[in-house]
Amino acid sequence: MGGTGFRRWLLGGAVGVLLAAALSSMALAASPEGMRLYVFTSHYLGPFPKAALQNGAPNTTFTIPVAFFVIKHPKGNIMFDTGVNDIIIKDPNYWGPLTHIYNPDRSPNLAVVAQLQKIGMTPGDINYVVLGHMHLDHAGNVGLFPKATVVFQTDEMQAAFWAPPGAAANYIATDFNMLRSGIGNPLPNAQKVIQLNGDLDLFGDGSIYIHRSVGHTPGSEVMVVRLPRTGTVVLTSDACYLKENLDKDILPSIGLVYSPSGTLEGYQWIKRVRDTENGDVIFAHDPETFKAHKHAPEYYD
Ligand SMILES: [Zn+2]
């Protein structure tokens, strides 16, 4: 390589490095001031066998949180997952035979409306509801948000109403029947929906990134939240149940996995975002890591 060629190579390398530095900081730089992430739990589930969520786990039972999240953003307030339908407070048998498998806590103070009050919000203040998937502990309260735009994968909606063989157990149609009015309905008061067949950068600034992650269910999705001070946080819904599952690539029991290979690919994606952006991961159902996080009305910004 001659002198000029070497200089060109050096310059190209330097520009490349600068560009990479600019791109990696861009995500954070673009995250607007005023963003806040609030962590909540809906009705706890359990006790039930840990081995359901972690293949080969010791023969113990545990009680798990059911996390849902609110993100304040200057362009709109977002809720990620909606917990267990609060109808169970008054109707303990709403889940039929599943009631005695999951044993949901029925405390009235865990209802979504009561919890949103802690941060001065009502359901009417939520502009977008993003569904990590539509199982009974994630889409339970989507009916509380008729004015919001509901974001989901088309495959998940199809599975929720007409699941593939072996995958029907954890969908309760009355939780989300009302969404049918919005799909393809041009009337102004119909529920607004965004049906995805892939990823979506919700506001175009990288701060709210929805990633399709088929594994737990046919249309699962995770959400990356990039906050101005805290940095990157991945919200898993059920793409991964426990931190130990993620770190050691352990699957749940087969009854809770639509696609084992897709689930493991999902783990790799989550780990790549976590590790390249020095980020955090908040699991919906991991009792220990859930406890270690701040809960509403405290927040991450
Ligand atoms: Zn699930």
Side-chain angles (χ1 to χ4, degrees):
M1 187 188 293
T4 318
F6 178 72
R7 256 202 313 279
R8 197 175 297 137
W9 173 83
L10 193 68
L11 197 65
V15 168
V17 169
L18 284 176
L19 194 66
L23 283 174
S24 67
S25 63
M26 221 165 70
L28 289 182
S31 296
E33 283 302 317
M35 275 188 84
R36 287 181 176 184
L37 167 67
Y38 294 95
V39 180
F40 300 86
T41 179
S42 178
H43 306 277
Y44 289 86
L45 305 178
F48 68 90
K50 186 176 180 186
L53 301 195
Q54 184 180 72
N55 236 345
N59 189 18
T60 52
T61 59
F62 68 169
T63 296
I64 57 171
V66 178
F68 67 92
F69 306 87
V70 170
I71 300 101
K72 275 190 174 176
H73 185 290
K75 291 189 176 163
N77 298 320
I78 303 140
M79 188 147 163
F80 182 67
D81 281 342
T82 66
V84 169
N85 197 321
D86 292 322
I87 284 174
I88 64 152
I89 296 167
K90 292 199 174 122
D91 180 2
N93 293 315
Y94 176 67
W95 282 355
L98 292 174
T99 307
H100 302 292
I101 293 175
Y102 294 118
N103 301 306
D105 176 307
R106 295 171 44 237
S107 309
N109 59 6
L110 292 177
V112 164
V113 172
Q115 297 207 71
L116 287 179
Q117 277 174 3
K118 291 192 214 167
I119 60 168
M121 283 193 187
T122 67
D125 295 317
I126 301 293
N127 306 102
Y128 296 87
V129 175
V130 180
L131 297 173
H133 64 301
M134 294 176 65
H135 278 169
L136 75 183
D137 51 336
H138 294 264
N141 290 304
V142 69
L144 292 177
F145 304 93
K147 300 283 180 215
T149 298
V150 182
V151 185
F152 53 83
Q153 299 287 326
T154 304
D155 289 346
E156 186 65 11
M157 182 58 77
Q158 285 170 351
F161 281 111
W162 201 261
N170 293 304
Y171 296 111
I172 308 271
T174 44
D175 285 346
F176 42 75
N177 258 336
M178 76 296 296
L179 297 180
R180 289 172 67 98
S181 75
I183 300 169
N185 187 340
L187 294 174
N189 60 352
Q191 178 101 44
K192 293 191 281 294
V193 298
I194 297 176
Q195 292 194 86
L196 298 175
N197 301 299
D199 292 8
L200 176 68
D201 179 357
L202 187 62
F203 297 130
D205 61 5
S207 67
I208 303 286
Y209 189 86
I210 299 160
H211 172 64
R212 175 180 170 87
S213 186
V214 174
H216 174 60
T217 63
S220 287
E221 52 193 17
V222 301
M223 196 160 90
V224 180
V225 181
R226 295 190 174 97
L227 296 159
R229 265 168 288 280
T230 305
T232 297
V233 182
V234 184
L235 310 179
T236 63
S237 195
D238 285 355
C240 184
Y241 280 121
L242 306 173
K243 181 175 187 294
E244 193 180 17
N245 293 13
L246 186 71
D247 291 341
K248 298 181 181 171
D249 287 324
I250 309 172
L251 290 168
S253 69
I254 193 64
L256 292 172
V257 186
Y258 167 70
S259 165
S261 60
T263 300
L264 291 171
E265 274 173 39
Y267 288 5
Q268 296 315 312
W269 194 90
I270 293 166
K271 284 193 264 200
R272 195 157 58 243
V273 172
R274 180 192 68 184
D275 297 344
T276 56
E277 301 186 26
N278 193 22
D280 191 11
V281 180
I282 309 184
F283 305 85
H285 299 304
D286 186 323
E288 284 165 30
T289 61
F290 183 80
K291 234 180 270 166
H293 281 89
K294 286 190 265 190
H295 304 135
E298 288 185 84
Y299 56 85
Y300 295 92
D301 65 358

